[in-house]
Amino acid sequence: MATPFPIPVTAAQVGTYFVGQYYQVLQSQREFVHQFYSDASTMLRIDGSTRETAAAMLVALRGKKLEYGDGEVVIIGGMVLDIHATPSLGAKSGTTVPGKVYYVQGGVARNVAECMSKLGSKPFMISAIGFDMAGNLLLNQWKSAGLSAEGILKDKDIETPVVCNIFDVKGEVAAGVASVEALEKYLTPDWILHFKSTLLSAPVLMIDANLSHSALEASCKMAADMECPVWFEPVSVTKSRRISFIVEYVTFASPNEDELIAMANDLSGSAVFQPLSESQKKNISVVSLFQMLKPAIWVLLEKGIEVVLVTIGSNGVFLCNKEGPSYLKKPTEKINRSGFGGQLYKSFMQNCPPSPYSGFSKLDKSSPLCAVHFPSLPASVVRLTGAGDCLVGGTLTSICAGLDIMQSVSVGIAVAKAAVEAEANVPNSFNLSAIADDAKSVYSGAKVLFHQSML
């Protein structure tokens, strides 16, 4: 390594050069700062007598006031190649039918990250892929988006996760097969903990349930050490049950109806709740649907999850917490208003400022539950697979830009609308004006759902 000092160099000169490089990286590329030390490293303070571990120094640094542009979400989870097969007419058992087959970049965590990147954010991704065809496709697309691949483990022994979905003529998944075992095997706590310093400025850590139990726990403990809130994305009914290993660390959870029931049952220790049948959902009002889901939602809130975001398909979203309306109107402390996110913030704030939401005037402050229903938007549906991931991506981008949770969910629903109108899991681009207009429509249509008795 070239240095500004003549050879031979002294220990003091080495230290001076090290410190200069360290703080340059700390200010401009925090995600690489971990390369300067290991967990066993110690730092000697300027007084020459006080030592502390590098890990302790990170904890001290986390309290520094961050400038705009510092806060980026860290995302840990699956990068998956999706194979989408759509028949031109009804599929028939025992034979092939004409249709279209596409390779689509997928994986819940990867979809959320790509969505955020196209909304102007630069999320830091921690994942694992192989050097096979699927891995090369995913990595090339990731790099072409200008995103850091440092947190993505690449190894010749890894079989990149692949999911094959067969759709019906309406665009809904009729059947699917997932080969994602590599995520649990290779996305280990050791690899994840390499990137602890990325949480210094992160407004949120998002984890998806593709992780193993040990990796989920390590990720959450790492976030707790850095005082970073955790967003849990359940992925599927089966994997959503992994919430029981980490519920004490989770701030946000975003299940659909079936995942909500599975999570509540696992947290309750028995099959207390039953999934809603199609006949139960048919012609049911939003208020009645909430009444049916309310006991399961309450289980998650009672276990310590602060915000539960339940996606209910074409009926929209339930946003629930037990801290009251003031919590839903509170923006995050770590924000990034650069690029698209900053433009979105300005556009939204001009038309939907954070004044007290009108629906809260009717809310009984003695109620332990605060629940708001957000309507969906009419859309020309092409594919439904990326909608939930883009809803989370849009919501997280907005939270990072400084919008409150209610405003952010409104943007998330607008982004989800754009997703269902595209062939890929994530649209090629987003139109700021259209998203802002749609978000305002959702926000103005949101209604408070209030119930005096919880159970």
Side-chain angles (χ1 to χ4, degrees):
M1 179 185 292
T3 80
F5 307 111
I7 302 297
V9 295
T10 66
Q13 289 171 329
V14 171
T16 299
Y17 188 73
F18 176 92
V19 169
Q21 293 296 307
Y22 177 85
Y23 280 103
Q24 181 178 333
V25 171
L26 180 64
Q27 290 177 2
S28 61
Q29 294 176 294
R30 287 178 187 265
E31 67 270 24
F32 297 121
V33 76
H34 69 276
Q35 294 180 349
F36 283 86
Y37 55 83
S38 70
D39 285 343
S41 301
T42 60
M43 292 187 179
L44 183 66
R45 288 189 176 275
I46 197 69
D47 59 17
S49 61
T50 305
R51 286 182 181 271
E52 60 183 294
T53 65
M57 183 65 76
L58 279 178
V59 173
L61 284 170
R62 73 187 174 205
K64 289 180 61 179
K65 182 174 176 60
L66 300 166
E67 301 295 330
Y68 293 161
D70 278 350
E72 295 289 3
V73 170
V74 176
I75 297 177
I76 308 177
M79 298 182 74
V80 180
L81 181 66
D82 287 343
I83 301 174
H84 290 178
T86 305
S88 301
L89 44 94
K92 297 180 181 179
S93 178
T95 186
T96 59
V97 295
K100 300 282 187 181
V101 178
Y102 301 93
Y103 291 122
V104 180
Q105 289 86 11
V108 170
R110 196 217 65 88
N111 288 347
V112 172
E114 183 187 356
C115 175
M116 294 187 69
S117 73
K118 290 179 176 176
L119 291 171
S121 295
K122 294 288 183 182
F124 186 83
M125 183 79 185
I126 302 174
S127 192
I129 57 174
F131 285 118
D132 47 19
M133 181 201 76
N136 291 334
L137 283 172
L138 291 167
L139 189 61
N140 290 339
Q141 184 275 338
W142 191 257
K143 289 181 175 179
S144 69
L147 296 170
S148 170
E150 195 214 353
I152 302 171
L153 175 64
K154 299 165 283 288
D155 192 281
K156 62 181 177 58
D157 293 328
I158 299 176
E159 292 184 7
T160 301
V162 176
V163 173
C164 179
N165 287 321
I166 300 175
F167 295 87
D168 60 25
V169 292
K170 297 178 181 178
E172 297 189 30
V173 176
V177 177
S179 175
V180 296
E181 297 81 7
L183 285 171
E184 295 193 29
K185 183 176 180 181
Y186 291 97
L187 198 47
T188 63
D190 286 345
W191 178 254
I192 291 167
L193 290 172
H194 272 99
F195 306 100
K196 186 173 184 176
S197 63
T198 61
L199 295 180
L200 270 171
S201 58
V204 180
L205 167 66
M206 197 218 89
I207 54 175
D208 79 21
N210 281 310
L211 302 179
S212 66
H213 298 160
S214 59
L216 284 169
E217 189 172 19
S219 300
C220 288
K221 287 183 176 178
M222 179 175 74
D225 288 344
M226 306 304 285
E227 296 181 353
C228 181
V230 174
W231 185 300
F232 177 76
E233 226 304 319
V235 176
S236 68
V237 169
T238 300
K239 292 181 177 179
S240 69
R241 298 185 178 99
R242 296 179 181 182
I243 186 66
S244 60
F245 295 92
I246 56 168
V247 66
E248 64 188 285
Y249 301 103
V250 174
T251 305
F252 305 91
S254 47
N256 61 27
E257 300 162 61
D258 292 336
E259 291 163 351
L260 169 69
I261 297 300
M263 292 165 70
N265 280 335
D266 211 66
L267 292 171
S268 300
S270 60
V272 178
F273 309 102
Q274 297 300 317
L276 303 183
S277 65
E278 290 304 316
S279 60
Q280 285 177 301
K281 298 178 188 178
K282 194 173 182 179
N283 299 322
I284 191 174
S285 70
V286 168
V287 173
S288 296
L289 179 59
F290 177 74
Q291 286 276 31
M292 297 172 75
L293 295 175
K294 181 180 62 176
I297 293 170
W298 187 242
V299 170
L300 272 62
L301 294 173
E302 278 286 87
K303 289 294 182 177
I305 299 175
E306 295 182 18
V307 177
V308 178
L309 188 71
V310 184
T311 57
I312 48 176
S314 60
N315 285 315
V317 169
F318 293 137
L319 175 64
C320 309
N321 88 315
K322 65 172 186 173
E323 301 300 323
S326 60
Y327 186 95
L328 299 180
K329 303 299 294 179
K330 181 176 64 175
T332 183
E333 294 179 359
K334 301 176 184 179
I335 59 178
N336 182 347
R337 290 183 188 153
S338 60
F340 192 104
Q343 298 172 41
L344 186 64
Y345 175 86
K346 292 176 183 176
S347 177
F348 199 96
M349 291 295 282
Q350 286 173 356
N351 295 278
C352 299
S355 57
Y357 183 72
S358 59
F360 289 136
S361 62
K362 301 175 183 178
L363 190 65
D364 182 343
K365 304 300 189 299
S366 67
S367 173
L369 175 68
C370 177
V372 182
H373 171 251
F374 294 81
S376 61
L377 292 161
S380 301
V381 176
V382 174
R383 184 83 70 240
L384 296 172
T385 49
D389 302 339
C390 284
L391 188 151
V392 173
T395 302
L396 285 173
T397 300
S398 303
I399 288 174
C400 293
L403 295 177
D404 65 41
I405 299 173
M406 286 191 59
Q407 294 169 326
S408 298
V409 171
S410 300
V411 173
I413 292 173
V415 173
K417 176 199 171 183
V420 301
E421 295 182 331
E423 187 68 48
N425 288 329
V426 180
N428 291 327
S429 62
F430 291 102
N431 182 294
L432 171 62
S433 177
I435 287 176
D437 288 343
D438 283 339
K440 293 163 198 168
S441 175
V442 173
Y443 189 80
S444 62
K447 289 184 171 53
V448 172
L449 301 172
F450 163 62
H451 298 273
Q452 183 73 32
S453 174
M454 294 313 308
L455 296 174

